Amino acid sequence: MARWLSPRILRPVAAIGMLAVFGLALWVIQYETRSMSFADIRAAIAAVGIGDVVWAGVFTALSFVALIGFDALALRDAGVRLPAARVAFAAFCAQAIAHTAGFAAVTGTSVRLRVYGNAGVSPAVVARLMVFGATAFALGSALTGGVAAVLEGRRVAVATGLPVMAVQALGVAILAVLAAYMVASARGLAISFRTWRLSLPRLSMTLGQTALAVADLVFACAVLWMLLPADLPLSFAAFLGLYAVAIVAGVIAHVPGGLGVFEGIVLLFLPGVPAPEVLGALVVYRIIYNLLPLILAAALIAVAEAARAAGRVAPAVRRAGAGVARAGAGAAQVAPIAFAMLAMACGAALLISAATPAADGRLAQLGQILPLAVLETSHLASGITGLLLLVIARGLSRRVDAAWAAAVVLTVTGSVLSLLKGWDWEEACLLALVAGLLVLARPAFHRHGSLLRQPMTPGWVAAVAIAVLGSTWLMWFSFRGGALMAEGVALGTGLSDALWTVGLDAEASRALRAIVAVVVLGVVLLATRFFAPALPRPRPADAAELEQAARISGQSSSSMAQLAFTGDKSFIFSECGDAFVMYAASGRSLVAMGDPIGPRHAWANVAWMFRELCDTHGALPVFYQVSAEALPLYLDLGLRLVKLGEEAVVPLAGFNLEGKPRAELRYAHRRAIKDGASFELLAPGAAARIMPQLREVSEAWMEERQAREKRFSLGRFDPDYLNRCPIAVARVGDRIVAFANLWPSADRAELTLDLMRHVPDAGYGIMDYLLVETMLHARDAGWQRFSLGMAPLAGLPDNPLAPAWSRIGTFIYQRGEGLYNFQGLRRFKQKFLPDWRPRFLAAPGGAALPQVGLDLVALISGGIKGVIGR
């Protein structure tokens, strides 16, 4: 069963399911439009009044105001206070991107984590925002759908084809469940299932959620209502309920933006309305409610980035753009996904344009100015440009500078081609605008990387395939009314004739050539990725790599850099050679130890290189024990964050044994001295002469605990490794009874405890004595802090909104002392009054997380026996 739940199985299956749902939606649209032509839809679009468009824009703005209200209300409920401009920026950008990309819970949360994270909002609070929004959407959809079914049951029944009694009974049931939820909320009850428990929000908060959700649905529905014919056989209340059903279906389908699914359901719900008028309204609705907000979000992001970049050199510009820059703090983290979606929208627009006839009269005017060869070539090239924009959007989402340059070139090229192939000035303006926004947002795309080696996930391939499949269907639909026959061709019998027919009026053949070229090129690109030779499995570091790692570690402020020399890791170096990630393979995972080592500005480059290495090998990318400061980087990598525990870090500047809180330490220290203990701190290499005695201590310690050596995240007793480290030694008389090796950073910022071992008869408090003496010596030598290492599973959130892993981890922490001394280890470290700093696991989520956990166990402990043996 675990094999079938593997991401390597689930992701392709999900992608195939997405394509299947989209294909089904196309079949529905095909059936509903069987008696109409593309010209009918174009006429319906042209018939939409300017006044209706203006009102649709107003209702779109009001819908987004309600969506911004979700974030404001949820943040206030969480006790977080942020400037209104920051909240509006984050919520608007999150919703604009999510409406286009789909997967609102994932995409919107990712955007909010980036923007709110820059304001110091914790991931747990952002997770509450996600739950708050999802709950509000469910409440609003239930209320609007239930009311419509009860009050407008007859009209809803006509639209859905269900019996009136069944519709009204369903509406009553939905409203009854909603009323029960409200009562439970008013009484402060909780929903429980086995060990899972969710406390409901107070009634005032539930009412606020519902009111905002209903307002959002009403305004969003009003956008489409204004664009539809005025003589609809439905009241607004009935249409609102059906609209909510279509929206929910689009979300469940997991097709990007609900494309095709939403349109197909609306067509089914309006059988008495001419299909051309419905589709024309839906096209304008998509432009107003999806595309324009996405463009505006990208513009805000680009202006915020440009304002900050210009402000560094021009104080006047900094003052002028200060407001935008403050509101858009975190825009650099949002820009990749926003512009990736915009690039895909531009690519889809070019494909749609290449697959459909030109506007009336434009070709004739253009043919008087340009040679036919220019027009034909431009039409073919515009389709290929559209496909390339879809493909390089993946690189934009990963901040690759080459993808940014390609996007600028392709949008400018597409703008010119749009004019040359049919004087599509509207399309040319859109592409030129996007090119300009990309130029403004240049600072956000700073990662060096190969454009040709960007991995294409099954979901991304499915999204590109949906765009190509949709444009192919649109080509057939646009010219099925006899245009191909008029050009002397029947599809399926004379395809080659249609493909090579050339002429000013041979629009169907031009569209067919463009689509065939796009499909062929798409298959070639996919095949080159699929059949590309796989890179060899990671190998142990060689002498040259160890030397380079030592040079970088010698300038690093991270003491964890010393783990590079345990002999069980491979390295991947940044393109400039100034940073590296150390990692090892385990099961289906490649596990990186900690944050990248090297200057902070190089982290993104080498982390992305590691992610691409994992994608190339088909491995799960895992970063183990990463810091809170670097969480936005791992979110950009598309990884899920899981809290592992807390690291105990003792500030050394004021460390001493005075005061009541350190009475226990003071007693242990004095007792050890009274028993004859002495301390020595040996420099790296100086312990070679006493290595046999240290081995005896280590073996006695291991035998007493019946334990085995850990690895990867800790050192092990290896003379070559230990000789690289300072070693603190405690003696009683001439006998060594305890020792600990240390990891020093290059700038005396941090000293970290690694191995800590003693003989069974070492005497009372010997380890307390050893650590106290070590810290006092480090303090006097000018070190800033001393890390006692991580307390696993400590400090995990344990509340109804916490993820399942956190609740499981808390249970193990509280009940699993027989498995591992979780609480005892934390109590031991707490005696030193440390600052507790969170440490995280960054890895793929969902079904991949259990696999990652097993791979980590095997890597660190040498299998399950190592865990049980501690």
Side-chain angles (χ1 to χ4, degrees), residues 517-528:
V518 165
V519 171
V520 171
L521 179 59
V523 171
V524 169
L525 290 174
L526 184 61
T528 55

Side-chain angles (χ1 to χ4, degrees), residues 155-368:
R155 292 177 176 178
V156 173
V158 171
T160 58
L162 297 173
V164 177
M165 292 298 294
V167 170
Q168 291 179 333
L170 180 61
V172 170
I174 292 174
L175 293 178
V177 172
L178 184 60
Y181 181 90
M182 295 287 183
V183 171
S185 178
R187 294 184 176 180
L189 301 180
I191 300 174
S192 299
F193 179 73
R194 294 182 180 178
T195 60
W196 182 83
R197 179 181 174 85
L198 173 64
S199 298
L200 299 182
R202 61 186 184 277
L203 181 60
S204 60
M205 186 59 59
T206 299
L207 293 175
Q209 285 179 296
T210 307
L212 284 171
V214 170
D216 168 44
L217 284 169
V218 167
F219 291 135
C221 180
V223 176
L224 182 56
W225 178 265
M226 291 303 303
L227 301 172
L228 287 166
D231 56 346
L232 284 179
L234 289 174
S235 66
F236 180 78
F239 183 71
L240 176 61
L242 298 175
Y243 175 87
V245 172
I247 288 292
V248 171
V251 171
I252 294 174
H254 269 45
V255 177
L259 187 64
V261 178
F262 176 77
E263 284 78 5
I265 291 178
V266 171
L267 276 171
L268 287 175
F269 283 166
L270 299 175
V273 184
E277 296 183 5
V278 176
L279 283 177
L282 285 168
V283 170
V284 180
Y285 168 84
R286 286 288 188 181
I287 293 173
I288 294 174
Y289 195 73
N290 291 109
L291 182 58
L292 291 183
L294 178 62
I295 293 174
L296 180 56
L300 290 173
I301 292 167
V303 170
E305 281 300 292
R308 273 190 293 277
R312 287 192 287 267
V313 295
V317 176
R318 182 176 65 246
R319 289 192 297 270
V324 177
R326 283 194 299 270
Q333 284 73 38
V334 182
I337 187 171
F339 280 96
M341 291 301 101
L342 206 51
M344 294 200 76
C346 290
L350 283 171
L351 288 180
I352 291 171
S353 178
T356 55
D360 293 339
R362 295 186 182 182
L363 272 181
Q365 297 175 6
L366 201 62
Q368 298 175 3

Side-chain angles (χ1 to χ4, degrees), residues 192 234 566 589 737:
S192 299
L234 289 174
T566 55
S589 303
V737 295

Side-chain angles (χ1 to χ4, degrees), residues 536-550:
R537 290 291 291 176
R539 54 174 177 74
D542 57 27
E545 290 174 329
L546 285 170
E547 183 179 350
Q548 185 177 1

Side-chain angles (χ1 to χ4, degrees), residues 168 216 293 387 494 582 619 628 679 758:
Q168 291 179 333
D216 168 44
L387 175 65
M582 47 183 164
F679 172 82
H758 62 83

Side-chain angles (χ1 to χ4, degrees), residues 812-830:
I812 295 174
Y813 178 79
Q814 295 172 348
R815 309 289 178 86
E817 287 297 288
L819 181 67
Y820 188 88
N821 189 23
F822 294 105
Q823 297 184 56
L825 180 61
R826 194 183 196 283
R827 285 194 297 270
F828 173 79
K829 296 179 179 183
Q830 181 59 37

